[in-house]
Amino acid sequence: MKRRTKIVVLGSALLLTAGVASAATASDTPRQRTTASDAPRQQATASDTPRHREAAALTGTAKLYRSAGDDITFSFDAHLAAEDKADPSKATGTFAFGHYLNGEGARAEVKVDCLLTGGKVAVVSGVITDSDLPGAEGKRVGVTVHDFGRHDRLGYSWASTGSPVDAKELPKCVSSAPFEKVLKGTGDFTVLPWQPAL
């Protein structure tokens, strides 16, 4: 057999093997047959359904890890609409947090006034609207979240002062680095990256 003929035969064998492997893989998955007549209909359906994407979002609930057993929970429902993409201060929603140890502590509810996300990191700020911590209502606070899969991290604007009450007037969308760890199995945060027009 000539060398050129051997190469052609070998190439054909490889293609057949690949075809058999593809068929085997396809048979292992749930059967969803697509005929030639179905393909244009599926493409048309996909293109007929418009996708509305927010400009940015931060959602989810989780507890922070503390070796002393502190019960610290953060919960977010913050959104920036697509039409407000150029102005993060038009973000809407709420977030809440609570910190308890041995039955003592406080919680706060916050109205969002700014949301910035970059990649999987979000900074959200807002004004405390309800709290059982004396002097906290009316204070602006900020939180940073790093959406790192099962190992999310979090930081907050009062990290250096010890309490939101002791912080001076805070600008919008300002917080600290995400130095705290989320306690495994207690929840998850999700960041929708902001994509500014360049």
Side-chain angles (χ1 to χ4, degrees):
M1 191 181 272
K2 292 184 179 178
R3 188 167 186 268
R4 186 177 296 173
T5 307
K6 286 182 180 179
I7 292 171
V8 170
V9 172
L10 180 61
S12 299
L14 288 174
L15 287 173
L16 286 172
T17 305
V20 170
S22 298
T25 305
S27 66
D28 291 340
T29 57
R31 292 187 180 182
Q32 290 182 334
R33 292 192 173 184
T34 303
T35 64
S37 61
D38 288 336
R41 183 161 39 88
Q42 288 178 350
Q43 289 175 358
T45 304
S47 62
D48 290 344
T49 307
R51 290 184 179 181
H52 297 289
R53 185 189 189 277
E54 295 179 288
L58 170 60
T59 56
T61 299
K63 292 186 177 184
L64 301 187
Y65 169 78
R66 285 290 179 87
S67 57
D70 302 49
D71 182 2
I72 307 173
T73 304
F74 280 81
S75 184
F76 301 96
D77 186 19
H79 305 269
L80 181 64
E83 59 267 26
D84 296 324
K85 186 175 187 174
D87 189 356
S89 67
K90 288 190 177 178
T92 60
T94 59
F95 65 92
F97 56 91
H99 186 168
Y100 294 91
L101 181 62
N102 300 324
E104 295 185 1
R107 52 113 193 124
E109 295 175 14
V110 184
K111 182 179 179 182
V112 171
D113 64 10
C114 188
L115 174 65
L116 275 174
T117 64
K120 286 296 187 176
V121 177
V123 178
V124 64
S125 66
V127 176
I128 296 175
T129 57
D130 186 38
S131 178
D132 50 11
L133 177 65
E137 289 185 28
K139 286 276 190 179
R140 177 177 288 117
V141 291
V143 181
T144 305
V145 170
H146 186 183
D147 178 6
F148 204 57
R150 291 177 294 175
H151 307 284
D152 291 348
R153 300 183 74 95
L154 186 142
Y156 34 83
S157 57
W158 60 96
S160 60
T161 63
S163 167
V165 176
D166 299 327
K168 293 183 178 180
E169 186 63 27
L170 189 74
K172 292 180 179 181
C173 267
V174 172
S175 183
S176 72
F179 63 96
E180 297 264 23
K181 296 178 183 178
V182 164
L183 180 61
K184 185 178 179 181
T186 63
D188 187 35
F189 301 127
T190 302
V191 174
L192 177 67
W194 181 52
Q195 296 176 346
L198 299 177

